[in-house]
Amino acid sequence: QVQLVESGGGLVQAGGSMRLSCVASGRILSINNMGWYRQAPGKQRELVAVMTMGDSRNYADSVKGRFTISRDNAKMTVYLQMNSLTPEDTAVYYCRLGGDWGQGIQVTWGPGTQVTVSS
């Protein structure tokens, strides 16, 4: 059983910065990709940033130049550095990990962490 736990969310003023962390635990044979998604009230969940183990990164147009996804393999942690935050970034942010947990390719989601940006 692979589990993800996000942290680092909270309340920040517009223009501020915040770093989210996502720690993975459990039996992980290999990782294909890791990413951050978000869901604002009344909206569908959307991709924020995704990163492959080959270090290829893709970002939503709305966060390009402001957000950076990175990882620490030794700590089994993926990060999302968020700068120049705006109220439109307010959402629940979810970590997603795709890989082989011993039963073929699977995807695991974290429970989410709330990010609120005040104007």
Side-chain angles (χ1 to χ4, degrees):
Q1 184 81 9
V2 173
Q3 292 185 328
L4 303 177
V5 177
E6 301 102 335
S7 62
L11 176 65
V12 65
Q13 288 188 333
S17 298
M18 183 176 286
R19 188 176 81 158
L20 304 182
S21 300
C22 173
V23 180
S25 62
R27 184 170 180 256
I28 298 174
L29 300 184
S30 65
I31 297 174
N32 292 345
N33 54 73
M34 55 200 74
W36 289 93
Y37 291 70
R38 67 186 181 187
Q39 187 166 17
K43 295 186 178 181
Q44 290 187 336
R45 190 173 298 188
E46 63 175 0
L47 170 71
V48 176
V50 64
M51 180 177 185
T52 69
M53 294 308 290
D55 283 342
S56 174
R57 294 171 171 84
N58 284 301
Y59 297 92
D61 288 342
S62 59
V63 307
K64 282 181 181 177
R66 300 188 298 123
F67 290 13
T68 302
I69 187 172
S70 63
R71 69 171 188 265
D72 185 328
N73 293 337
K75 296 181 179 180
M76 294 295 287
T77 301
V78 58
Y79 303 98
L80 184 68
Q81 177 66 43
M82 306 185 292
N83 299 326
S84 302
L85 286 161
T86 73
E88 288 68 38
D89 295 316
T90 295
V92 177
Y93 283 70
Y94 298 91
C95 178
R96 178 188 182 276
L97 198 67
D100 185 356
W101 315 152
Q103 295 182 347
I105 301 300
Q106 293 178 275
V107 171
T108 297
W109 291 87
T113 184
Q114 176 71 47
V115 172
T116 302
V117 184
S118 63
S119 57

